[in-house]
Amino acid sequence: MKARIRTSARTLAATALTAALATALAACGSSGSLPAPSGSGSHPAGAPTFQQVIDGAPVAPDSAIPAGSLMAKIKARGTLNVGGTDASALFSLKDPVTGKLTGFDAGLAQMLAKYITGKPSVNLVLVTADTRETLLQNATVDSVFATYTITPARAQKVAFAGPYYSSGDAILVAKGNTSITKVADLANKTVCTESSSTAANDLKQYAPSAHVILFQTNAECEQAVEQGRADAYVLDQALLLGDQVRDPKVKVVGQPFTTEPYGIGLPLASPEMKTFVNDWLKTLESDGEWTKLWQSTIGTVLSGDAPTPPAIGSAQGS
């Protein structure tokens, strides 16, 4: 059972985001080109650029980092080891020219690194839904920023700070598909999703007669829809909308049918890190840094005001 957080607000935001991204996609024409990286000048007038947000992010006082803590180890190392992705438009996307990562998750990771070490130095380790818990448990990474849905089952294996954002399962189909517009239309269809994702379990509840096939990555699922090996792809709307922006052969249909609270994955063995990160998130939200980051990333394609972030600790497992 998942926590339900601001469903109406998120639905409104999701509706606006769908419309805005549809406009952005139309503007891309048939070139299939990536959206301009955040901070490259595509942000709305008056909104901060991605780099301005990172440059203005706070640094923790020495008193907030006790000796012997995981934060102290990260500070001594000078770099935050982060599990994440480099192929998720709006959340963590690598610029092929500069090599820099931009997006909401990428920005939060750099801001946390700066808060601890004084500089936004991040060592990214690519993860999948299957590897996130293991990499935290064996200390390969200090944290995971990867549109990581908080669940009570996952919270038995790792700690979650947050939630810091909320999305929901949605449906992606081929551009010409008009037969699937809502979750009920998935009955008896071939539907793919990422293995170990919450969507894999959600499909058992919301589309029990669907033939579900599992892939390890977003790219594999998107390709299966393009090639007709799957009728639809179900995952968090935030990620699917990024696919839609990048790929003119697919589209997102309908509205989210679940609520997915995103958390920052942390090691269970370092409980002081969870308290530290939650306090940092509260600081970002109260000082307006969370809103500025949203404006410089997701807000570059979504008109209107930034949503109110979900309350820290409000999701089961957080």
Side-chain angles (χ1 to χ4, degrees):
M1 180 177 176
K2 297 184 178 67
R4 300 288 172 185
I5 305 170
R6 294 181 177 82
T7 301
S8 59
R10 295 305 312 151
T11 300
L12 288 172
T15 302
L17 181 53
T18 301
L21 283 170
T23 301
L25 181 59
C28 289
S30 59
S31 66
S33 59
L34 293 171
S38 300
S40 67
S42 63
H43 59 284
T49 67
F50 181 82
Q51 192 57 52
Q52 286 173 334
V53 175
I54 302 303
D55 291 344
V59 177
D62 290 341
S63 59
I65 301 180
S69 65
L70 177 56
M71 300 84 75
K73 295 177 183 175
I74 296 167
K75 185 173 184 177
R77 186 195 307 141
T79 298
L80 178 68
N81 292 329
V82 173
T85 180
D86 62 0
S88 176
L90 306 183
F91 280 85
S92 186
L93 184 65
K94 186 177 182 179
D95 187 307
V97 176
T98 66
K100 293 184 177 179
L101 289 165
T102 57
F104 197 75
D105 278 352
L108 280 179
Q110 292 170 37
M111 293 166 81
L112 179 59
K114 183 178 178 182
Y115 194 63
I116 297 173
T117 71
K119 53 186 179 181
S121 178
V122 168
N123 173 39
L124 178 68
V125 178
L126 297 180
V127 301
T128 67
D130 289 322
T131 62
R132 292 176 296 200
E133 280 92 33
T134 299
L135 293 174
L136 281 169
Q137 289 170 332
N138 65 19
T140 299
V141 298
D142 308 307
S143 58
V144 169
F145 293 77
T147 56
Y148 198 178
T149 300
I150 301 170
T151 71
R154 288 173 175 169
Q156 298 297 312
K157 302 176 182 177
V158 301
F160 283 106
Y164 65 89
Y165 200 81
S166 186
S167 185
D169 285 342
I171 304 168
L172 179 140
V173 297
K175 188 72 172 182
N177 188 322
T178 59
S179 64
I180 297 174
T181 60
K182 57 186 180 301
V183 67
D185 297 332
L186 299 179
N188 301 312
K189 295 292 196 304
T190 299
V191 181
C192 63
T193 189
E194 291 187 40
S195 57
S196 300
S197 67
T198 53
N201 282 326
D202 293 337
L203 282 169
K204 296 176 183 176
Q205 176 183 353
Y206 292 94
S209 65
H211 174 56
V212 178
I213 52 178
L214 302 175
F215 295 99
Q216 284 195 327
T217 67
N218 172 67
E220 290 173 297
C221 293
E222 183 183 341
Q223 189 175 51
V225 171
E226 279 187 21
Q227 296 175 343
R229 291 183 286 124
D231 298 305
Y233 170 24
V234 170
L235 200 68
D236 296 8
Q237 189 192 51
L239 296 173
L240 297 185
L241 289 170
D243 293 338
Q244 176 180 287
V245 170
R246 295 168 50 190
D247 186 352
K249 298 178 182 177
V250 298
K251 63 181 179 182
V252 179
V253 295
Q255 294 300 317
F257 54 91
T258 66
T259 299
E260 305 292 332
Y262 293 164
I264 300 169
L266 301 168
L268 266 181
S270 301
E272 76 282 2
M273 184 74 169
K274 176 177 177 176
T275 301
F276 179 86
V277 174
N278 274 335
D279 289 344
W280 164 74
L281 280 172
K282 292 174 184 175
T283 298
L284 293 187
E285 292 172 7
S286 63
D287 290 352
E289 303 295 335
W290 187 99
T291 296
K292 292 177 183 176
L293 180 62
W294 183 93
Q295 291 172 330
S296 71
T297 55
I298 301 168
T300 60
V301 294
L302 172 58
S303 60
D305 296 334
T308 301
I312 303 297
S314 60
Q316 293 184 47
S318 62

